Amino acid sequence: MTPPPRGPLRRAGRMIDALEISAGSVMLLTIFVLVLIQAAQRHLPGESLPWTGEVSRFALAWLTFTVAGVLISRGGHITLEVVDILPKPRLIRAVQVFALVIVAVTAGAFTLEAWDLVQTQGALRSPVLGLSMALVYVPVLLGLISSTVRALIGAARIALHGPVRSELAEEVAR
């Protein structure tokens, strides 16, 4: 089992987790409120607010990428736990490190693309609000940077301290 970091590293990780979860919570609440407003607008007289749909779509993308790093570091992302029940810890370690390296490489490639979008899409504006599309991609970029870094840290921790065993693997070992 991978031991948790200690000292300032642990505090920094907790602060980043709290920041990302808070941002994700704000995005989820934003989506909820805006969808309720959209539903109410369909049944009330008067003009609707077209920006509610645009903001809720942006908030969904921001939510997805903002909390991806938290899911990676906490093992909450989609994983195959079939290998975790094998009796050979070295094989489990190798598979888990390999998987996290693949996640880091993929997130790193997406990070480069998001950076390119931030730099090149500033002239484009969103249809309703007129928001610069470069600003729309900034939360995506930050979430991808977090995902890349967290996947690399996770791979290093598993390589140094051993594999993370799933609940299924713990039950089979008993």
Side-chain angles (χ1 to χ4, degrees), residues 130-155:
L131 185 65
S132 169
M133 290 306 288
L135 292 176
V136 170
Y137 293 119
V138 168
V140 174
L141 174 65
L142 295 175
L144 288 167
I145 290 169
S146 174
S147 298
T148 304
V149 170
R150 287 171 184 260
L152 289 172
I153 290 171

PDB file of all heavy atoms in Angstrom, residues 130-155:
ATOM      1  N   GLY A 130     -20.389  36.517 -25.585  1.00  0.00           N
ATOM      2  CA  GLY A 130     -19.251  37.212 -26.169  1.00  0.00           C
ATOM      3  C   GLY A 130     -17.976  36.997 -25.369  1.00  0.00           C
ATOM      4  O   GLY A 130     -17.032  37.774 -25.457  1.00  0.00           O
ATOM      5  N   LEU A 131     -17.933  35.919 -24.602  1.00  0.00           N
ATOM      6  CA  LEU A 131     -16.777  35.584 -23.770  1.00  0.00           C
ATOM      7  C   LEU A 131     -15.648  35.068 -24.654  1.00  0.00           C
ATOM      8  O   LEU A 131     -15.887  34.264 -25.561  1.00  0.00           O
ATOM      9  CB  LEU A 131     -17.183  34.516 -22.749  1.00  0.00           C
ATOM     10  CG  LEU A 131     -16.186  34.090 -21.703  1.00  0.00           C
ATOM     11  CD1 LEU A 131     -15.864  35.251 -20.762  1.00  0.00           C
ATOM     12  CD2 LEU A 131     -16.746  32.915 -20.904  1.00  0.00           C
ATOM     13  N   SER A 132     -14.444  35.511 -24.406  1.00  0.00           N
ATOM     14  CA  SER A 132     -13.294  35.038 -25.177  1.00  0.00           C
ATOM     15  C   SER A 132     -13.131  33.538 -24.992  1.00  0.00           C
ATOM     16  O   SER A 132     -13.114  33.033 -23.872  1.00  0.00           O
ATOM     17  CB  SER A 132     -12.022  35.751 -24.710  1.00  0.00           C
ATOM     18  OG  SER A 132     -10.885  35.139 -25.266  1.00  0.00           O
ATOM     19  N   MET A 133     -13.009  32.826 -26.088  1.00  0.00           N
ATOM     20  CA  MET A 133     -12.873  31.376 -26.013  1.00  0.00           C
ATOM     21  C   MET A 133     -11.549  30.973 -25.355  1.00  0.00           C
ATOM     22  O   MET A 133     -11.442  29.887 -24.788  1.00  0.00           O
ATOM     23  CB  MET A 133     -12.999  30.752 -27.398  1.00  0.00           C
ATOM     24  CG  MET A 133     -14.408  30.835 -27.962  1.00  0.00           C
ATOM     25  SD  MET A 133     -15.692  30.166 -26.885  1.00  0.00           S
ATOM     26  CE  MET A 133     -15.361  28.434 -27.003  1.00  0.00           C
ATOM     27  N   ALA A 134     -10.570  31.840 -25.395  1.00  0.00           N
ATOM     28  CA  ALA A 134      -9.316  31.548 -24.685  1.00  0.00           C
ATOM     29  C   ALA A 134      -9.585  31.427 -23.184  1.00  0.00           C
ATOM     30  O   ALA A 134      -9.038  30.552 -22.516  1.00  0.00           O
ATOM     31  CB  ALA A 134      -8.281  32.636 -24.959  1.00  0.00           C
ATOM     32  N   LEU A 135     -10.461  32.272 -22.650  1.00  0.00           N
ATOM     33  CA  LEU A 135     -10.812  32.190 -21.232  1.00  0.00           C
ATOM     34  C   LEU A 135     -11.605  30.924 -20.914  1.00  0.00           C
ATOM     35  O   LEU A 135     -11.494  30.382 -19.825  1.00  0.00           O
ATOM     36  CB  LEU A 135     -11.621  33.417 -20.812  1.00  0.00           C
ATOM     37  CG  LEU A 135     -10.869  34.744 -20.792  1.00  0.00           C
ATOM     38  CD1 LEU A 135     -11.817  35.885 -20.465  1.00  0.00           C
ATOM     39  CD2 LEU A 135      -9.725  34.694 -19.818  1.00  0.00           C
ATOM     40  N   VAL A 136     -12.386  30.467 -21.872  1.00  0.00           N
ATOM     41  CA  VAL A 136     -13.168  29.248 -21.673  1.00  0.00           C
ATOM     42  C   VAL A 136     -12.230  28.049 -21.502  1.00  0.00           C
ATOM     43  O   VAL A 136     -12.513  27.136 -20.738  1.00  0.00           O
ATOM     44  CB  VAL A 136     -14.142  29.026 -22.848  1.00  0.00           C
ATOM     45  CG1 VAL A 136     -14.790  27.661 -22.786  1.00  0.00           C
ATOM     46  CG2 VAL A 136     -15.181  30.130 -22.867  1.00  0.00           C
ATOM     47  N   TYR A 137     -11.093  28.072 -22.199  1.00  0.00           N
ATOM     48  CA  TYR A 137     -10.173  26.932 -22.155  1.00  0.00           C
ATOM     49  C   TYR A 137      -9.197  26.974 -20.978  1.00  0.00           C
ATOM     50  O   TYR A 137      -8.513  25.986 -20.733  1.00  0.00           O
ATOM     51  CB  TYR A 137      -9.394  26.835 -23.467  1.00  0.00           C
ATOM     52  CG  TYR A 137     -10.268  26.472 -24.644  1.00  0.00           C
ATOM     53  CD1 TYR A 137     -10.400  27.332 -25.732  1.00  0.00           C
ATOM     54  CD2 TYR A 137     -10.976  25.277 -24.658  1.00  0.00           C
ATOM     55  CE1 TYR A 137     -11.208  26.999 -26.803  1.00  0.00           C
ATOM     56  CE2 TYR A 137     -11.781  24.946 -25.723  1.00  0.00           C
ATOM     57  CZ  TYR A 137     -11.888  25.798 -26.792  1.00  0.00           C
ATOM     58  OH  TYR A 137     -12.694  25.472 -27.854  1.00  0.00           O
ATOM     59  N   VAL A 138      -9.117  28.068 -20.240  1.00  0.00           N
ATOM     60  CA  VAL A 138      -8.177  28.156 -19.113  1.00  0.00           C
ATOM     61  C   VAL A 138      -8.485  27.127 -18.017  1.00  0.00           C
ATOM     62  O   VAL A 138      -7.574  26.422 -17.567  1.00  0.00           O
ATOM     63  CB  VAL A 138      -8.106  29.595 -18.551  1.00  0.00           C
ATOM     64  CG1 VAL A 138      -7.376  29.642 -17.223  1.00  0.00           C
ATOM     65  CG2 VAL A 138      -7.441  30.519 -19.561  1.00  0.00           C
ATOM     66  N   PRO A 139      -9.740  26.979 -17.548  1.00  0.00           N
ATOM     67  CA  PRO A 139      -9.993  25.941 -16.543  1.00  0.00           C
ATOM     68  C   PRO A 139      -9.688  24.529 -17.049  1.00  0.00           C
ATOM     69  O   PRO A 139      -9.240  23.667 -16.286  1.00  0.00           O
ATOM     70  CB  PRO A 139     -11.482  26.090 -16.221  1.00  0.00           C
ATOM     71  CG  PRO A 139     -11.831  27.471 -16.638  1.00  0.00           C
ATOM     72  CD  PRO A 139     -10.939  27.788 -17.789  1.00  0.00           C
ATOM     73  N   VAL A 140      -9.919  24.295 -18.329  1.00  0.00           N
ATOM     74  CA  VAL A 140      -9.593  22.998 -18.926  1.00  0.00           C
ATOM     75  C   VAL A 140      -8.086  22.767 -18.861  1.00  0.00           C
ATOM     76  O   VAL A 140      -7.620  21.692 -18.470  1.00  0.00           O
ATOM     77  CB  VAL A 140     -10.107  22.925 -20.381  1.00  0.00           C
ATOM     78  CG1 VAL A 140      -9.647  21.654 -21.068  1.00  0.00           C
ATOM     79  CG2 VAL A 140     -11.621  23.060 -20.427  1.00  0.00           C
ATOM     80  N   LEU A 141      -7.324  23.783 -19.214  1.00  0.00           N
ATOM     81  CA  LEU A 141      -5.863  23.690 -19.161  1.00  0.00           C
ATOM     82  C   LEU A 141      -5.379  23.406 -17.747  1.00  0.00           C
ATOM     83  O   LEU A 141      -4.541  22.515 -17.526  1.00  0.00           O
ATOM     84  CB  LEU A 141      -5.241  24.991 -19.683  1.00  0.00           C
ATOM     85  CG  LEU A 141      -3.721  25.128 -19.557  1.00  0.00           C
ATOM     86  CD1 LEU A 141      -3.013  24.107 -20.430  1.00  0.00           C
ATOM     87  CD2 LEU A 141      -3.278  26.534 -19.900  1.00  0.00           C
ATOM     88  N   LEU A 142      -5.905  24.111 -16.770  1.00  0.00           N
ATOM     89  CA  LEU A 142      -5.481  23.911 -15.377  1.00  0.00           C
ATOM     90  C   LEU A 142      -5.826  22.502 -14.886  1.00  0.00           C
ATOM     91  O   LEU A 142      -5.022  21.858 -14.202  1.00  0.00           O
ATOM     92  CB  LEU A 142      -6.117  24.968 -14.476  1.00  0.00           C
ATOM     93  CG  LEU A 142      -5.681  26.408 -14.734  1.00  0.00           C
ATOM     94  CD1 LEU A 142      -6.478  27.366 -13.865  1.00  0.00           C
ATOM     95  CD2 LEU A 142      -4.190  26.584 -14.526  1.00  0.00           C
ATOM     96  N   GLY A 143      -7.006  22.020 -15.249  1.00  0.00           N
ATOM     97  CA  GLY A 143      -7.394  20.665 -14.859  1.00  0.00           C
ATOM     98  C   GLY A 143      -6.504  19.611 -15.495  1.00  0.00           C
ATOM     99  O   GLY A 143      -6.145  18.612 -14.859  1.00  0.00           O
ATOM    100  N   LEU A 144      -6.120  19.814 -16.744  1.00  0.00           N
ATOM    101  CA  LEU A 144      -5.241  18.857 -17.418  1.00  0.00           C
ATOM    102  C   LEU A 144      -3.825  18.885 -16.847  1.00  0.00           C
ATOM    103  O   LEU A 144      -3.180  17.836 -16.735  1.00  0.00           O
ATOM    104  CB  LEU A 144      -5.235  19.121 -18.920  1.00  0.00           C
ATOM    105  CG  LEU A 144      -6.521  18.725 -19.637  1.00  0.00           C
ATOM    106  CD1 LEU A 144      -6.554  19.294 -21.045  1.00  0.00           C
ATOM    107  CD2 LEU A 144      -6.661  17.217 -19.663  1.00  0.00           C
ATOM    108  N   ILE A 145      -3.350  20.059 -16.481  1.00  0.00           N
ATOM    109  CA  ILE A 145      -2.035  20.141 -15.828  1.00  0.00           C
ATOM    110  C   ILE A 145      -2.076  19.365 -14.516  1.00  0.00           C
ATOM    111  O   ILE A 145      -1.176  18.577 -14.215  1.00  0.00           O
ATOM    112  CB  ILE A 145      -1.631  21.615 -15.587  1.00  0.00           C
ATOM    113  CG1 ILE A 145      -1.305  22.300 -16.908  1.00  0.00           C
ATOM    114  CG2 ILE A 145      -0.437  21.701 -14.631  1.00  0.00           C
ATOM    115  CD1 ILE A 145      -1.147  23.803 -16.805  1.00  0.00           C
ATOM    116  N   SER A 146      -3.122  19.561 -13.745  1.00  0.00           N
ATOM    117  CA  SER A 146      -3.284  18.848 -12.484  1.00  0.00           C
ATOM    118  C   SER A 146      -3.337  17.341 -12.711  1.00  0.00           C
ATOM    119  O   SER A 146      -2.691  16.567 -11.987  1.00  0.00           O
ATOM    120  CB  SER A 146      -4.558  19.314 -11.771  1.00  0.00           C
ATOM    121  OG  SER A 146      -4.799  18.541 -10.630  1.00  0.00           O
ATOM    122  N   SER A 147      -4.075  16.908 -13.710  1.00  0.00           N
ATOM    123  CA  SER A 147      -4.178  15.478 -14.009  1.00  0.00           C
ATOM    124  C   SER A 147      -2.833  14.888 -14.384  1.00  0.00           C
ATOM    125  O   SER A 147      -2.482  13.789 -13.933  1.00  0.00           O
ATOM    126  CB  SER A 147      -5.178  15.248 -15.148  1.00  0.00           C
ATOM    127  OG  SER A 147      -6.457  15.670 -14.776  1.00  0.00           O
ATOM    128  N   THR A 148      -2.081  15.604 -15.200  1.00  0.00           N
ATOM    129  CA  THR A 148      -0.763  15.120 -15.614  1.00  0.00           C
ATOM    130  C   THR A 148       0.166  14.976 -14.427  1.00  0.00           C
ATOM    131  O   THR A 148       0.807  13.929 -14.236  1.00  0.00           O
ATOM    132  CB  THR A 148      -0.140  16.085 -16.647  1.00  0.00           C
ATOM    133  OG1 THR A 148      -1.040  16.241 -17.745  1.00  0.00           O
ATOM    134  CG2 THR A 148       1.198  15.575 -17.142  1.00  0.00           C
ATOM    135  N   VAL A 149       0.241  16.011 -13.612  1.00  0.00           N
ATOM    136  CA  VAL A 149       1.134  15.993 -12.456  1.00  0.00           C
ATOM    137  C   VAL A 149       0.720  14.911 -11.460  1.00  0.00           C
ATOM    138  O   VAL A 149       1.546  14.152 -10.952  1.00  0.00           O
ATOM    139  CB  VAL A 149       1.178  17.382 -11.784  1.00  0.00           C
ATOM    140  CG1 VAL A 149       1.901  17.341 -10.456  1.00  0.00           C
ATOM    141  CG2 VAL A 149       1.824  18.399 -12.720  1.00  0.00           C
ATOM    142  N   ARG A 150      -0.562  14.801 -11.193  1.00  0.00           N
ATOM    143  CA  ARG A 150      -1.043  13.812 -10.225  1.00  0.00           C
ATOM    144  C   ARG A 150      -0.811  12.386 -10.720  1.00  0.00           C
ATOM    145  O   ARG A 150      -0.499  11.497  -9.931  1.00  0.00           O
ATOM    146  CB  ARG A 150      -2.518  14.038  -9.925  1.00  0.00           C
ATOM    147  CG  ARG A 150      -2.764  15.263  -9.068  1.00  0.00           C
ATOM    148  CD  ARG A 150      -4.251  15.534  -9.003  1.00  0.00           C
ATOM    149  NE  ARG A 150      -4.583  16.720  -8.284  1.00  0.00           N
ATOM    150  CZ  ARG A 150      -5.005  16.739  -7.020  1.00  0.00           C
ATOM    151  NH1 ARG A 150      -5.123  15.639  -6.348  1.00  0.00           N
ATOM    152  NH2 ARG A 150      -5.308  17.879  -6.444  1.00  0.00           N
ATOM    153  N   ALA A 151      -0.963  12.142 -12.019  1.00  0.00           N
ATOM    154  CA  ALA A 151      -0.707  10.802 -12.553  1.00  0.00           C
ATOM    155  C   ALA A 151       0.783  10.453 -12.434  1.00  0.00           C
ATOM    156  O   ALA A 151       1.134   9.326 -12.082  1.00  0.00           O
ATOM    157  CB  ALA A 151      -1.167  10.709 -14.004  1.00  0.00           C
ATOM    158  N   LEU A 152       1.650  11.418 -12.696  1.00  0.00           N
ATOM    159  CA  LEU A 152       3.088  11.166 -12.556  1.00  0.00           C
ATOM    160  C   LEU A 152       3.474  10.920 -11.100  1.00  0.00           C
ATOM    161  O   LEU A 152       4.259  10.010 -10.799  1.00  0.00           O
ATOM    162  CB  LEU A 152       3.889  12.347 -13.122  1.00  0.00           C
ATOM    163  CG  LEU A 152       3.862  12.494 -14.639  1.00  0.00           C
ATOM    164  CD1 LEU A 152       4.523  13.802 -15.060  1.00  0.00           C
ATOM    165  CD2 LEU A 152       4.531  11.305 -15.306  1.00  0.00           C
ATOM    166  N   ILE A 153       2.909  11.690 -10.198  1.00  0.00           N
ATOM    167  CA  ILE A 153       3.179  11.489  -8.765  1.00  0.00           C
ATOM    168  C   ILE A 153       2.655  10.127  -8.322  1.00  0.00           C
ATOM    169  O   ILE A 153       3.327   9.391  -7.595  1.00  0.00           O
ATOM    170  CB  ILE A 153       2.564  12.626  -7.923  1.00  0.00           C
ATOM    171  CG1 ILE A 153       3.326  13.930  -8.167  1.00  0.00           C
ATOM    172  CG2 ILE A 153       2.556  12.272  -6.439  1.00  0.00           C
ATOM    173  CD1 ILE A 153       2.669  15.151  -7.566  1.00  0.00           C
ATOM    174  N   GLY A 154       1.463   9.770  -8.761  1.00  0.00           N
ATOM    175  CA  GLY A 154       0.896   8.472  -8.413  1.00  0.00           C
ATOM    176  C   GLY A 154       1.744   7.324  -8.929  1.00  0.00           C
ATOM    177  O   GLY A 154       1.972   6.336  -8.221  1.00  0.00           O
ATOM    178  N   ALA A 155       2.225   7.436 -10.161  1.00  0.00           N
ATOM    179  CA  ALA A 155       3.088   6.386 -10.728  1.00  0.00           C
ATOM    180  C   ALA A 155       4.378   6.266  -9.926  1.00  0.00           C
ATOM    181  O   ALA A 155       4.833   5.152  -9.628  1.00  0.00           O
ATOM    182  CB  ALA A 155       3.385   6.689 -12.193  1.00  0.00           C
TER     183      ALA A 155
END
